[in-house]
Amino acid sequence: MEVSSVIFVIFGGAGDLTWRKLVPSLFDLHRDGRMPKKFAIIAVDRAPFRDAELHKHFLDGVKRFSRKQKVKGADWKQFARHVTYQQGDFKDPATYSNLAKRLDKDWKVKAGHIFHLATPPVMVGIIPKMLADAGLNRDRVRARIVVEKPLGHDLDSARELNRTLTESFHESQIFRIDHYLGKETVQNILAFRFANPLFEPIWNRRYVDYVTITVAEEVGVEHRGGYYDHAGALRDMVQNHLMQLLCLVAMEPMVSFNADEIRNKKVDVLHAVRPISHRAVQQCAVRGQYGKGGLDGKKVRGYRQEKDVSPNSKTETFAALKLFVDNWRWQGVPFYLRTGKCLPQQVSEIAIQFRAVPHRSFPPEARDWHPSYLVLSIQPEEGIVLGFKAKYPGPKMVLKPVEMRFSYRESFAIPSPDAYETLLLDVMNNDPTLFMRADQIEAAWRLLMPVLEVWAETRPRNFPNYAAGTWGPPAADKLIERDGHAWSPTPRNCDTDETRERHEPSIPNR
């Protein structure tokens, strides 16, 4: 449902998320003519700011992080007229009563009210109640609240967070953001699977041998050491981003493109994942922490030397899991998930490894029998790769791996929007399809709690156990190799008969 007017209230309006993501995305939407006809942006924070100072601060962020980066003065002036600042303490009722007086004050039409919590997690337990006390939650159609991760620290805190939110807002008004769901390739998983009859019939246990999901980061913790040392890779990435990708890959076909229909199918996947017992954690979960190393020829300090990180920290910066989805479609097919910091490349991909042919009918000199595979690349190059076999030119039957590649950048004339652009536009249009429901959040936490509990009880003795610039601890390779599998498709080169590194991702147009 598109709206003709909206007031966007950003709590934490002077913070880093607003500067880096929210305002640049809103500016790009405005520049592309996709914002509502009437809109206002009110940044709320405790720091003293004049509107002119705020505009200068935001312009700096837009120049750095806008999708198009080149900013015309006329475009910025037109956008900045819609942006104002309100100083206020998030715990002070006066902040909300003053805000209520400003909403719709000079407009003859009723606007949608979006309250975006770009704040520290502790404020999520305070701001919704304060908004409700000021009566800013009453209109279920017009009033919406947007919540950033982390969405809890464990199952109990997630339940408490959901309880706090739903005491003040109806579930239909709550938009829990996972920016991964706004990425074009992530959204394209549904289109690829359910709009193409070529692939969906083989998207099951009869044809798929195993699935790997990789979200690798080159960077360390950067300026987030204080937060990250209390979170770790499992909480920061697996519980949300990787679980979302798992749901999209494994879900059943939806009856319609309806928000709750799609989200129901995702929750079904999490309910079907085989529970991890405390005794099985050592066999299906691996953790790691990076030490000193090198990236791109530069020395990199270890995690324990990062700012705001304990010199004896036991927090994991790498996590890998082996999961099973126990239903008719996926019974017996392992799903391997991994994520880590200070790895050799920034890459996010899903690799579907198909089963080998049942009978090798070609002569021995055919040589290469590596099965076909499909790679859905999310970062850094959005695209899809299909690997299969073809005959090498010559008198003999020699097989060679070849690839068919689809690249978003090459196939479409327009660049992909930033994930936040997509998600913020959906909030304005009151479309919750790409946002997480309370039951999905809790199901993901419930699945991972045994791993978190065992890791908390048995502190690692070998940290750091991988060097910065490598693909994680050796145990992560053993987790998948003991099943005869590899982290990424690894076809042999027929000319040299050599194999790529087993854990090196396969990126389109690399």
Side-chain angles (χ1 to χ4, degrees):
M1 180 185 67
E2 294 189 3
V3 294
S4 59
S5 57
V6 66
I7 299 175
F8 209 96
V9 181
I10 305 176
F11 291 94
D16 187 67
L17 177 63
T18 306
W19 180 67
R20 282 174 169 265
K21 288 293 185 182
L22 302 187
V23 170
S25 294
L26 291 168
F27 174 75
D28 283 338
L29 288 172
H30 171 69
R31 185 161 46 177
D32 289 345
R34 301 173 71 189
M35 287 293 285
K37 294 178 181 179
K38 279 193 170 186
F39 74 94
I41 299 170
I42 303 174
V44 182
D45 218 322
R46 292 175 297 177
F49 261 114
R50 295 176 181 174
D51 286 353
E53 294 174 321
L54 184 75
H55 294 168
K56 183 179 179 181
H57 175 65
F58 283 164
L59 178 58
D60 178 55
V62 166
K63 287 180 177 178
R64 295 192 190 194
F65 304 109
S66 165
R67 171 165 44 89
K68 298 180 181 179
Q69 291 191 330
K70 291 184 179 180
V71 180
K72 293 181 180 179
D75 288 341
W76 174 253
K77 288 180 180 178
Q78 187 181 34
F79 175 79
R81 286 200 297 265
H82 299 268
V83 181
T84 57
Y85 186 73
Q86 177 179 315
Q87 184 180 4
D89 189 322
F90 299 150
K91 298 180 181 180
D92 186 355
T95 299
Y96 303 87
S97 59
N98 292 336
L99 180 63
K101 294 174 184 177
R102 295 184 63 180
L103 299 182
D104 297 340
K105 180 180 178 181
D106 299 321
W107 290 5
K108 296 180 181 179
V109 296
K110 289 187 176 181
H113 298 161
I114 297 171
F115 306 105
H116 196 123
L117 274 55
T119 61
V122 66
M123 289 293 109
V124 180
I126 296 172
I127 294 175
K129 186 178 185 303
M130 302 294 281
L131 288 168
D133 290 344
L136 294 172
N137 64 332
R138 292 172 186 165
D139 193 323
R140 288 191 181 182
V141 176
R142 296 170 60 213
R144 295 151 223 166
I145 188 167
V146 182
V147 185
E148 296 276 347
K149 75 164 196 171
L151 300 171
H153 188 74
D154 53 21
L155 179 58
D156 288 341
S157 61
R159 285 172 171 164
E160 180 60 31
L161 175 64
N162 286 330
R163 189 178 304 114
T164 298
L165 289 170
T166 54
E167 283 175 353
S168 300
F169 288 83
H170 188 266
E171 178 65 33
S172 63
Q173 297 174 279
I174 303 169
F175 289 74
R176 301 170 184 84
I177 272 195
D178 183 345
H179 75 271
Y180 254 63
L181 291 182
K183 294 181 180 294
E184 285 290 339
T185 312
V186 174
Q187 296 180 67
N188 195 50
I189 295 172
L190 295 182
F192 182 79
R193 286 189 57 192
F194 303 130
N196 296 292
L198 177 63
F199 294 103
E200 182 56 24
I202 61 172
W203 207 270
N204 56 59
R205 62 185 296 273
R206 292 185 61 190
Y207 300 98
V208 176
D209 192 11
Y210 64 97
V211 179
T212 63
I213 301 175
T214 296
V215 178
E217 297 180 280
E218 276 188 305
V219 298
V221 295
E222 297 181 300
H223 59 283
R224 301 171 66 224
Y227 157 74
Y228 197 90
D229 208 38
H230 293 89
L234 201 68
R235 289 183 171 95
D236 188 52
M237 295 293 288
V238 178
Q239 186 274 336
N240 39 75
H241 298 335
L242 274 77
M243 285 298 169
Q244 290 295 313
L245 296 179
L246 171 65
C247 290
L248 288 168
V249 171
M251 64 183 274
E252 294 297 320
M254 60 276 188
V255 175
S256 64
F257 205 77
N258 171 273
D260 275 332
E261 169 68 8
I262 292 172
R263 296 193 290 182
N264 288 343
K265 299 299 184 185
K266 291 181 182 179
V267 174
D268 287 344
V269 173
L270 294 176
H271 288 166
V273 173
R274 185 180 302 172
I276 303 171
S277 68
H278 287 73
R279 290 181 298 175
V281 168
Q282 298 298 331
Q283 286 72 48
C284 67
V286 171
R287 55 180 163 170
Q289 184 188 92
Y290 67 85
K292 296 178 181 178
L295 274 169
D296 297 327
K298 299 179 181 179
K299 291 184 179 180
V300 178
R301 60 188 175 187
Y303 175 71
R304 293 178 177 181
Q305 287 76 53
E306 299 280 12
K307 183 181 178 182
D308 298 327
V309 172
S310 168
N312 300 309
S313 175
K314 302 299 182 182
T315 300
E316 81 281 357
T317 62
F318 180 99
L321 293 175
K322 175 184 176 181
L323 303 175
F324 289 93
V325 179
D326 287 338
N327 59 21
W328 277 46
R329 179 183 291 266
W330 295 114
Q331 188 66 40
V333 176
F335 289 76
Y336 302 96
L337 284 61
R338 66 171 175 171
T339 185
K341 290 190 173 294
C342 276
L343 302 184
Q345 299 175 20
Q346 179 177 348
V347 57
S348 300
E349 70 170 30
I350 300 164
I352 313 294
Q353 184 69 66
F354 294 104
R355 294 188 181 277
V357 295
H359 174 62
R360 299 185 177 185
S361 55
F362 291 103
E365 58 265 26
R367 295 169 59 184
D368 195 312
W369 286 95
H370 195 280
S372 299
Y373 57 86
L374 182 72
V375 177
L376 307 175
S377 180
I378 300 166
Q379 285 182 302
E381 192 73 39
E382 294 181 313
I384 300 172
V385 174
L386 176 63
F388 58 97
K389 295 292 170 291
K391 179 186 176 298
Y392 191 79
K396 294 185 178 181
M397 178 57 72
V398 176
L399 300 179
K400 181 176 177 61
V402 294
E403 293 180 333
M404 296 175 63
R405 294 169 176 259
F406 157 70
S407 167
Y408 267 89
R409 178 174 51 83
E410 294 179 358
S411 298
F412 299 112
I414 60 173
S416 297
D418 182 83
Y420 264 95
E421 291 180 52
T422 299
L423 296 172
L424 295 178
L425 189 61
D426 282 352
V427 175
M428 287 185 270
N429 291 332
N430 205 15
D431 181 356
T433 304
L434 299 178
F435 297 84
M436 295 176 287
R437 251 180 5 206
D439 55 345
Q440 187 179 5
I441 297 292
E442 294 180 16
W445 277 118
R446 188 178 300 110
L447 175 65
L448 296 178
M449 284 309 300
V451 180
L452 289 169
E453 290 165 356
V454 169
W455 284 1
E457 294 167 1
T458 57
R459 294 166 68 84
R461 298 178 180 178
N462 61 341
F463 276 9
N465 60 356
Y466 72 97
T470 63
W471 281 103
D477 288 334
K478 293 178 182 178
L479 175 71
I480 191 169
E481 288 172 355
R482 64 174 174 239
D483 297 331
H485 300 154
W487 277 112
S488 222
T490 57
R492 290 181 180 274
N493 184 303
C494 286
D495 296 327
T496 63
D497 201 28
E498 293 179 354
T499 305
R500 291 183 301 176
E501 288 292 327
R502 296 193 67 134
H503 43 267
E504 179 184 353
S506 176
I507 308 170
N509 300 312
R510 184 174 56 190

